């Protein structure tokens, strides 16, 4: 008769559950940012403005959106500086989060991310917000989008209102549409890969400046207009998304028909781009815009904006109120695990080591901003390295038996961090506390995976003994022939080793039958 291994099966089941938990927490870290998106923002309830007026704007408007153009870097672009001197020069602020997707929508629809509901690059569908493309189409204009990117993301956001799009364009020409958006991603790519102080970044800006000069040469100033803006800046080492000054300060430049020259330097918001373009085109006001036109506003536009602002109120001051349910599952699961395992005093006392070391490394390496997470691959490598170092410290200080208690302590810490982040404003002045749950969840996923890899301490039995204790006591009882019946059942935790079969044989004279046949 073979003896079953109930405790061994339990141990494997526990390890399997810990592995699944690690995967679930890792997914929560990956989706944390996109989970903040709001598919039906309150601003959609705004009443539609009057139908578009007859065409009264310029014959053609070209909007050049330069991805990743820092304000200070734009001051070193000769062509752009000439347009500033002869047209509109605005120092604008992009509102949190300073990712390309939310900022493009903020400018095209004239509403900040906190009120638009688009708070990440992974918004799942076409937005229902009004936009300069929609207004232009309703007024009878033809619209087009040109992008140096290899995907159609910009068009998909406003798919119904864009007539033509060109991907991975070499920027040799601009479509002859009434409203043409030209998105240039080269500066942002150079900033991410080489930093904003690199020759590559300077070369990308020089190419943009040359392109702007070629576009201007094709325009008729009394009838055509060009608007140049940036969605965000970049850190010196590359990266954006946070609230650092070099990331959120962006330029807006307008020149041509409808732009009064010699206005000097002005201050505005990135969301002012959409209302400004709508005003230059002479179409009805944007239905959902909280931004204002930088070239003057009429009475209907002012009334519409006032109504929208009253509707959304202080959207940026609302709390996120988002705590991933996976964290609560992790706390409960790890609490049960620790309760069912035997741990030494050393293991309990050193359990916070992983969390403390990871936190110190996170702050010490300046990995506490959305801006450093903008490139997923390098960020994942960076945070994983911190997790590995913290894990090695945990093993060195507390040993293998301390890993499960460390995972439980980490889960409590992550829960506290998530709760604090849930009460942060949607548009914080400093986005650090909004960001910390992402690396915190990553660290929790890693320590759960580490618990799975190194195994859990011996499961305690009902009397407080462990699997190993019961097995050793069982072997001693068998050897002396004094093993009680109930202990016999408990000793059957690990399949008998054939090499040690003599341990299970009654050695009294005349008896050769073992306990297991």
């Amino acid at each position: 008769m073979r003896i079953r291994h109930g405790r061994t099966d339990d141990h494997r089941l526990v390890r399997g559950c810990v592995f699944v938990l690690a995967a679930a927490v890792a997914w929560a870290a990956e989706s944390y940012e996109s989970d903040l998106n709001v598919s039906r923002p309150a601003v959609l309830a705004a009443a539609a403005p009057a139908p578009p007026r007859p065409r009264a704007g310029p014959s053609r408007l070209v909007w050049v959106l330069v991805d990743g153009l820092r304000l200070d870097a734009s001051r070193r672009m000769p062509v752009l500086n000439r347009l500033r001197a002869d047209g509109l020069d605005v120092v604008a602020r992009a509102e949190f989060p300073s990712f390309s997707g939310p900022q493009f929508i903020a400018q095209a629809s004239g509403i900040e991310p906190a009120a638009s509901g688009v708070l990440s690059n992974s918004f799942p569908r076409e937005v229902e917000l009004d936009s300069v493309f929609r207004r232009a189409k309703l007024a009878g204009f033809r619209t087009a989008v040109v992008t140096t990117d290899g995907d159609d993301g910009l068009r998909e956001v406003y798919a119904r209102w864009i007539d033509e799009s060109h991907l991975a364009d070499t920027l040799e020409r601009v479509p002859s549409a009434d409203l043409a958006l030209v998105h240039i991603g080269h500066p942002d790519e150079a900033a991410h890969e080489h930093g904003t102080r690199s020759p590559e970044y300077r070369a990308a800006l020089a190419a943009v400046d040359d392109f702007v000069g070629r576009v201007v040469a094709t325009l008729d100033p009394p009838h055509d207009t060009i608007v140049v803006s940036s969605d965000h800046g970049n850190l010196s080492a590359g990266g954006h998304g946070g609230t650092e000054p070099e990331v959120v300060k962006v330029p807006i430049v307008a020149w041509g028909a409808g732009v009064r020259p010699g206005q000097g330097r002005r201050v505005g918001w990135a969301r002012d781009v959409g209302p400004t373009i709508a005003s230059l085109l002479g179409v009805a006001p944007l239905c959902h815009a909280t931004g204002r036109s930088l070239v003057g506003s009429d009475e209907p536009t002012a009334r519409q904006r006032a109504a929208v602002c009253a509707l959304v109120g202080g959207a940026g001051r609302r709390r996120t109120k988002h705590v991933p349910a996976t964290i609560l599952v992790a706390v409960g699961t790890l609490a049960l695990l620790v309760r069912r395992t035997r741990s030494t005093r050393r293991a309990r006392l050193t359990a916070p080591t992983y969390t403390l070391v990871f936190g110190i490394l996170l702050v010490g390496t300046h990995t506490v901003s959305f801006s450093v997470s903008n490139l997923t691959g390098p960020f994942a490598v960076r945070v994983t390295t911190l997790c590995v170092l913290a894990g090695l410290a945990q093993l060195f200080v507390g040993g293998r038996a301390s890993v499960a208690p460390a995972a439980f302590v980490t889960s409590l810490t992550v829960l506290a961090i998530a709760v604090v982040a849930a009460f942060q404003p949607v548009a914080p002045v400093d986005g650090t506390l909004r960001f910390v749950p992402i690396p915190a969840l990553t660290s929790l996923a890693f320590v759960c995976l580490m618990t799975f890899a190194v195994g859990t301490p011996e499961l305690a039995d009902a009397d407080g003994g462990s699997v190993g204790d019961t097995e050793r006591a069982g072997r001693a009882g068998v050897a002396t022939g004094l093993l009680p019946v109930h202990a016999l059942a408990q000793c059957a935790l690990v399949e008998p080793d054939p090499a040690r079969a003599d341990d299970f044989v009654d050695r009294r004279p005349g008896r050769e039958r073992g306990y297991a046949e």
Side-chain angles (χ1 to χ4, degrees), residues 398-416:
R400 172 185 166 187
S402 69
V403 175
F408 175 62
V409 171
T410 302
S411 69
L412 291 176
T413 305
V414 174
L415 177 60

Side-chain angles (χ1 to χ4, degrees), residues 42-43 111-112 114-115 271 290 305-318:
V43 71
I111 183 170
E112 66 272 29
R271 54 185 150 127
T290 57
R305 178 179 179 273
V308 173
C309 289
L311 179 64
V312 301
R317 294 190 295 273
R318 291 188 291 104

Side-chain angles (χ1 to χ4, degrees), residues 178-270:
D178 302 293
L179 172 61
L181 167 66
V182 181
H183 169 258
I184 308 177
H186 302 317
D188 191 52
E189 295 169 4
H192 281 303
E193 295 179 11
H194 307 286
T196 60
R197 298 174 182 173
S198 65
E200 291 82 358
Y201 186 71
R202 292 193 295 271
L205 296 189
V208 170
D209 203 45
D210 177 70
F211 170 75
V212 171
R214 287 188 280 117
V215 171
V216 170
T218 67
L219 300 180
D220 180 14
H223 303 98
D224 301 332
T225 307
I226 184 171
V227 175
V228 181
S229 68
S230 170
D231 51 357
H232 55 76
N234 267 286
L235 298 177
S236 295
H240 56 88
T243 55
E244 298 85 354
E246 61 268 41
V247 170
V248 297
K249 287 185 177 181
V250 295
I252 300 176
V253 178
W255 176 88
V259 181
R260 183 167 52 86
Q263 299 184 53
R265 187 174 299 179
R266 299 174 57 183
V267 176
W269 297 93

Side-chain angles (χ1 to χ4, degrees), residues 55-79:
R55 180 172 179 156
S59 300
R60 184 181 179 209
L61 191 148
V62 179
W63 173 18
V64 180
L65 177 60
V66 187
D67 203 324
L69 175 59
R70 283 174 52 146
L71 176 65
D72 55 354
S74 74
R75 298 288 176 188
R76 298 190 292 270
M77 299 170 66
V79 174

Side-chain angles (χ1 to χ4, degrees), residues 7 9 28 52 79 83 121 135 145 148-149 163-165 217 234 245 249 277 340 345 354-355 361 373 383 408 462 506:
R7 293 293 180 86
D9 292 341
V79 174
L83 297 182
N121 282 333
R135 285 287 128 191
V145 170
T148 60
D149 289 347
D163 294 310
E164 60 177 299
S165 64
N234 267 286
K249 287 185 177 181
I277 292 176
R340 289 196 60 195
R345 182 180 180 184
Y354 177 85
T355 299
L361 292 174
S373 69
V383 174
F408 175 62
D506 190 339

